Amino acid sequence: MISKNNFDFVVIGGGIVGFSTAVKIQKSGKSVLVLEKEKTPGFHQSGRNSGVIHSGIYYKPNSFKSQLSIKGRELLIEFLNAKNIPFRLEGKLVVDNNIQKIEDLLKRSKDLNMEGVKILRNKELLEKEPNSIINNALFVPQAGVVNYRKVTEALAEEFVSLGGKINYFEEIISIDTVEGRKILNTKKSKFQGDYLINCGGLYSDKLAIMDGLEPNVRIIPFRGEYYTFDKSKSNLVNNMIYPIADPNLPFLGIHLTKTIDGNIEAGPNAVFAFAKEGYKWTNINFKETFNSLTYIGMLNLGKKYFKTGISEMYRSLNKKAFVKEVNKLIPGITIKDLQPRGAGVRAQAVDKDGNLVDDFLFQEGLSSLHVLNAPSPAATACLAIGEHIANKVNK
Ligand SMILES: Cc1cc2nc3c(=O)[nH]c(=O)nc-3n(C[C@H](O)[C@H](O)[C@H](O)COP(=O)(O)OP(=O)(O)OC[C@H]3O[C@@H](n4cnc5c(N)ncnc54)[C@H](O)[C@@H]3O)c2cc1C
């Protein structure tokens, strides 16, 4: 059955990026429909992440990530205040034994006009995190924590209050373009819009192909697993402790975060998942795994990062190795102090040469725009990404 209405815009994906975009466009007076295959907002990446409000310090200057995360953080904090969503903004410690790396980040913070970023040593450091075994750290006051599932739900509510329409349980299985208009086919119905915006996260590559594009990237799923500290140890960390990330990888490495609920979480690692929505080792989708493993970009990626991939898998299967990593930041944590928490799966675009695409990636089609890479910090940046897309498509 074809839906009676023709919408100005149809957004695929009820995650944080889809709803931020839908709100922004709906506010400009256009009619917007969001189609989501699950039953609630933020069911995948937007509801299964670290919950960190990133400062923006890590990202290459002038990249989308840098610009949109700094602007997005400001917009997000305004939104959280307006909607009374709890958040804490107490800053984080970025640590490394190599002081040069910390000084380089400090310099970048100055280039980005970030105030209050400073190097802490000994006493000052122990005042912030008395239980850590760190010698040097960069204190970044702009970072914080929030529950992004709640943010996504609040965006969905705002969208509906503005007159927007959401249809859950609608999985797009094919897309037709008829006289410039988009017909979106699901198992149950057909929906129609003048313009399509694909915010399909882990399936954004597949949706772009359905729309007739030949994207230069494929989405490879990387599971991020976490452990929560036992309650008796949750006073050992006050805020966030992050090792400096490997600049060649878009993942931030295992870090410690005091979540908005007061739990201490360690993680996430980055393990190749055997299904796009493979939240456990036992979730296997043979077709998706076959497609990932036979993609030329994945073969090239495997050649470059074979050792890293194996050590991430080893750490995933061997809790002792994970604990060892945690003990580099906080001593005295044992295997029984860590309980597994639900994992998340990152939608990471990989190009044909095997590069993990670092920046956010948007590709336009005929009456369509596809978000082909929106990994971390896209939750922090969501409102700025929504604004960026709305400005582009409203033209
Ligand atoms: C482990 C992990 C930790 C992270 N930590 C942070 C962090 O601390 N801070 C931060 O800023 N960012 C973080 N991120 C990144 C952040 O969570 C994502 O960048 C963000 O949630 C992406 O939002 P999205 O809307 O693009 O994707 P999603 O939330 O995945 O939404 C995509 C939606 O599209 C729907 N969909 C897909 N295919 C179809 C179809 N065919 N038909 C209909 N619907 C479809 C899906 O069901 C899904 O709901 C983390 C991510 C992960 C995985």
Side-chain angles (χ1 to χ4, degrees):
M1 195 187 73
I2 193 153
S3 107
K4 278 184 225 120
N5 295 331
N6 181 69
F7 291 83
D8 294 328
F9 289 89
V10 180
V11 174
I12 307 176
I16 206 163
V17 173
F19 278 121
S20 299
T21 305
V23 164
K24 195 70 196 170
I25 299 177
Q26 185 75 31
K27 275 187 181 166
S28 70
K30 303 284 180 3
S31 62
V32 184
L33 168 69
V34 173
L35 293 174
E36 166 56 52
K37 66 184 170 68
E38 307 291 353
K39 58 182 175 193
T40 50
F43 196 84
H44 291 290
Q45 295 176 90
S46 304
R48 303 168 195 252
N49 51 46
S50 303
V52 174
I53 302 173
H54 285 294
S55 62
I57 196 168
Y58 291 120
Y59 314 112
K60 288 191 186 103
N62 301 319
S63 61
F64 277 129
K65 270 193 180 176
S66 173
Q67 288 166 357
L68 298 178
S69 67
I70 290 174
K71 172 101 188 284
R73 176 168 43 78
E74 288 166 12
L75 294 173
L76 179 69
I77 287 161
E78 267 174 41
F79 182 79
L80 299 177
N81 281 321
K83 302 285 174 189
N84 281 322
I85 299 173
F87 68 100
R88 288 198 332 267
L89 212 54
E90 292 167 351
K92 75 168 143 188
L93 293 179
V94 184
V95 302
D96 203 287
N97 286 330
N98 181 344
I99 188 73
Q100 187 56 48
K101 285 191 186 172
I102 291 184
E103 280 170 358
D104 290 348
L105 262 193
L106 176 67
K107 184 178 172 301
R108 180 175 289 176
S109 76
K110 295 208 163 98
D111 295 343
L112 293 168
N113 294 322
M114 292 171 68
E115 281 175 20
V117 179
K118 56 180 177 177
I119 294 179
L120 300 183
R121 290 196 176 95
N122 311 325
K123 196 165 156 252
E124 274 185 312
L125 196 49
L126 289 176
E127 274 169 20
K128 292 250 175 247
E129 294 292 352
N131 302 299
S132 71
I133 42 163
I134 313 161
N135 298 324
N136 312 300
L138 191 70
F139 175 60
V140 184
Q142 287 81 0
V145 286
V146 70
N147 179 335
Y148 284 115
R149 190 185 287 264
K150 290 213 168 107
V151 178
T152 314
E153 285 164 357
L155 284 163
E157 263 172 43
E158 172 157 6
F159 174 62
V160 171
S161 75
L162 291 165
K165 176 127 178 49
I166 311 173
N167 278 37
Y168 293 105
F169 297 113
E170 294 289 2
E171 178 175 352
I172 311 306
I173 51 168
S174 66
I175 301 171
D176 299 316
T177 307
V178 179
E179 292 169 2
R181 278 214 180 115
K182 298 293 171 184
I183 312 283
L184 301 156
N185 306 300
T186 70
K187 281 180 191 146
K188 295 183 279 177
S189 343
K190 286 177 188 292
F191 299 89
Q192 198 170 297
D194 290 344
Y195 197 98
L196 165 69
I197 302 174
N198 163 12
C199 301
L202 286 151
Y203 290 98
S204 55
D205 54 347
K206 194 174 164 192
L207 288 158
I209 293 167
M210 281 183 207
D211 189 33
L213 268 73
E214 286 176 19
N216 283 330
V217 296
R218 287 291 178 278
I219 301 295
I220 303 296
F222 287 97
R223 187 170 55 249
E225 297 157 332
Y226 298 82
Y227 286 97
T228 305
F229 278 27
D230 185 81
K231 283 269 176 263
S232 63
K233 303 276 167 145
S234 63
N235 59 341
L236 291 184
V237 178
N238 288 331
N239 272 308
M240 279 180 268
I241 311 180
Y242 270 64
I244 288 190
D246 179 340
N248 297 315
L249 294 171
F251 311 131
L252 294 179
I254 289 184
H255 43 258
L256 303 177
T257 305
K258 183 168 208 158
T259 67
I260 195 67
D261 304 323
N263 295 318
I264 306 297
E265 288 182 353
N269 52 9
V271 185
F272 173 72
F274 293 121
K276 291 239 184 183
E277 292 164 358
Y279 296 106
K280 295 181 190 151
W281 275 97
T282 47
N283 294 150
I284 300 172
N285 180 318
F286 289 103
K287 191 171 171 214
E288 287 177 359
T289 305
F290 178 81
N291 287 344
S292 291
L293 293 179
T294 53
Y295 168 51
I296 179 75
M298 184 66 198
L299 298 173
N300 288 328
L301 177 76
K303 280 185 211 152
K304 282 189 203 175
Y305 294 112
F306 184 73
K307 231 174 116 190
T308 312
I310 295 295
S311 72
E312 286 290 314
M313 283 187 178
Y314 174 72
R315 215 166 42 190
S316 162
L317 294 166
N318 183 334
K319 193 171 169 187
K320 218 167 149 188
F322 197 104
V323 171
K324 200 170 152 198
E325 221 40 47
V326 172
N327 276 325
K328 285 184 188 162
L329 304 171
I330 293 281
I333 299 295
T334 61
I335 286 188
K336 66 177 178 25
D337 294 329
L338 298 183
Q339 275 91 44
R341 182 211 102 166
V345 180
R346 304 171 184 84
Q348 175 60 50
V350 175
D351 71 15
K352 290 183 177 144
D353 297 329
N355 299 309
L356 295 150
V357 178
D358 189 38
D359 209 359
F360 300 148
L361 180 66
F362 308 94
Q363 190 174 338
E364 286 177 74
L366 185 68
S367 305
S368 60
L369 186 142
H370 299 262
V371 180
L372 289 176
N373 198 41
S376 186
T380 307
C382 64
L383 293 167
I385 296 177
E387 197 173 88
H388 171 80
I389 296 175
N391 288 341
K392 226 173 156 72
V393 300
N394 272 332
K395 276 185 197 152

